[in-house]
Amino acid sequence: MENGKTIASSGGDIAVVGGDASGGVSLDRPHGPHTEGTASMPDTSTSREKVQVTVSIPPQKYFVERIGGDRVTVNVMVEPGGKPHTYEPKPQQLKMLAASQAYFRTGVEFESAWMDRIKAANRSLQVVDTAEGVELLPMVAHHHHEDEAGEHHHEDEAGEHDEGEKAETDGGPETTDPHIWLSPPLVKQQAQTVYEALVKLDPNGEQVYKANLDKFIADIDALDRDIRSTLAGVKNRKFMVFHPSWAYFAKAYNLEMIPIEVGGTEPSAAELGQLIEVAKKEGIKVIFAQPEFSTKSAETIAKAIGGEVILLDTLAPNWLENMRQVTDKLARVMSAVSFVVIG
């Protein structure tokens, strides 16, 4: 974990968007005390208003609440079951932003599409980039397969799409993988960023935030040890994915993620047929899918191979417990079969 300045900056440690709230705010800032939030560490103050912040996805809410305790109220933009890639904030959520002191972004697609309107809802909003300082990976968007000699190949499918879709498969800033919350080692970095931001927003809470941060880091370290222990006996370290959400997890734990999804689209009929053949050849009996994505392709493959579909949740609100459950599922399935398909 890197220490120091990890908060997005445009001349300071936290990027401050715009001027004061009177400078063209399209929505009025509500008055009165903030709403109550989740408490993880008691605070004896009865008159202090809570620090109100907004995050993009439920796992971020878990991170901020673990560090902020009952000194913060955390609002979430993407509700459980939503798709961060294509999410459109509701009008009441933009109005909610008018009361927030900070917005913690993580790099999911809708943030870029909506950031101008998010800033317009509150021109004094402080935007904190929790991905600052994290080594980002490109979003993998091509198929992998082995030929008859066992040689591993990367099959670029961009030629089947238009120029815009081809650009998405060629890498670059637009295709950076945002799923940094699925790697415990990277979450330690994000936790440090959250801590530093909360201290700047609420200096009086520094001791509370530091104690909570230390406890959270200890829990992440214990989780990391458990994951390594659970996966230690897995011989085949490969797993295949429809949507490439698990690259950071794979990198952290010496696994190989092989994606199927191309440019954000479901496999074509021909690709689906190839996938079914691979599944049969490799003896695949379990196909994982994410709750927020269509399971149509996964169900088609499962039916063809006489297997089953199991869900892995990337956005579960209880991040710590979810990571343990995901690890247990992966270990069980990867130990039982020689190859795994995850949707």
Side-chain angles (χ1 to χ4, degrees), residues 230-303:
T230 300
L231 295 176
V234 175
K235 300 299 183 182
N236 191 315
R237 313 296 288 184
K238 297 179 182 179
F239 62 94
M240 185 178 290
V241 302
F242 280 118
H243 184 72
S245 299
W246 298 93
Y248 294 105
F249 184 90
K251 181 179 179 180
Y253 300 107
N254 192 30
L255 304 175
E256 182 181 343
M257 183 189 73
I258 305 174
I260 295 170
E261 187 181 65
V262 179
T265 63
E266 295 261 348
S268 67
E271 293 164 346
L272 197 59
Q274 293 172 2
L275 177 59
I276 291 171
E277 290 304 312
V278 169
K280 289 179 177 179
K281 178 181 177 181
E282 302 295 343
I284 299 167
K285 292 300 179 183
V286 175
I287 300 172
F288 290 102
Q290 292 175 212
E292 67 270 22
F293 289 100
S294 170
T295 60
K296 181 179 179 181
S297 293
E299 291 168 352
T300 298
I301 298 168
K303 183 177 180 180

Side-chain angles (χ1 to χ4, degrees), residues 125-308:
L125 187 70
Q126 299 179 7
V127 179
V128 181
D129 185 359
T130 61
E132 187 73 13
V134 173
E135 182 180 353
L136 299 177
L137 300 175
M139 178 64 84
V140 181
H142 52 259
H143 292 225
H144 299 228
H145 69 275
E146 293 183 354
D147 60 20
E148 293 182 357
E151 294 295 326
H152 195 73
H153 297 277
H154 297 261
E155 181 180 344
D156 191 348
E157 299 288 344
E160 298 183 8
H161 306 288
D162 61 28
E163 289 302 313
E165 289 175 324
K166 185 179 188 303
E168 290 183 359
T169 66
D170 288 341
E174 295 300 318
T175 58
T176 299
D177 188 343
H179 302 92
I180 58 175
W181 66 92
L182 296 175
S183 167
L186 296 185
V187 170
K188 290 173 65 174
Q189 290 182 245
Q190 297 164 68
Q192 181 69 28
T193 299
V194 169
Y195 161 74
E196 293 177 6
L198 291 179
V199 169
K200 289 185 178 296
L201 291 168
D202 177 26
N204 291 334
E206 181 173 5
Q207 290 186 341
V208 173
Y209 300 145
K210 185 60 168 64
N212 287 346
L213 173 66
D214 291 344
K215 178 62 168 65
F216 186 31
I217 294 298
D219 286 347
I220 296 174
D221 286 339
L223 170 67
D224 181 71
R225 290 191 297 270
D226 289 346
I227 292 175
R228 295 183 189 281
S229 175
T230 300
L231 295 176
V234 175
K235 300 299 183 182
N236 191 315
R237 313 296 288 184
K238 297 179 182 179
F239 62 94
M240 185 178 290
V241 302
F242 280 118
H243 184 72
S245 299
W246 298 93
Y248 294 105
F249 184 90
K251 181 179 179 180
Y253 300 107
N254 192 30
L255 304 175
E256 182 181 343
M257 183 189 73
I258 305 174
I260 295 170
E261 187 181 65
V262 179
T265 63
E266 295 261 348
S268 67
E271 293 164 346
L272 197 59
Q274 293 172 2
L275 177 59
I276 291 171
E277 290 304 312
V278 169
K280 289 179 177 179
K281 178 181 177 181
E282 302 295 343
I284 299 167
K285 292 300 179 183
V286 175
I287 300 172
F288 290 102
Q290 292 175 212
E292 67 270 22
F293 289 100
S294 170
T295 60
K296 181 179 179 181
S297 293
E299 291 168 352
T300 298
I301 298 168
K303 183 177 180 180
I305 64 175
E308 63 176 323

Side-chain angles (χ1 to χ4, degrees), residues 17-56:
V17 181
D20 61 30
S22 63
V25 178
S26 58
L27 298 169
D28 292 334
R29 179 186 292 274
H31 300 283
H34 298 307
T35 57
E36 294 295 314
T38 302
S40 65
M41 187 168 184
D43 183 7
T44 57
S45 174
T46 57
S47 60
R48 171 189 52 78
E49 287 191 351
K50 295 178 183 292
V51 176
Q52 183 152 317
V53 304
T54 299
V55 300
S56 293

Side-chain angles (χ1 to χ4, degrees), residues 304-315:
I305 64 175
E308 63 176 323
V309 175
I310 297 177
L311 299 180
L312 292 182
D313 195 351
T314 62
L315 299 174

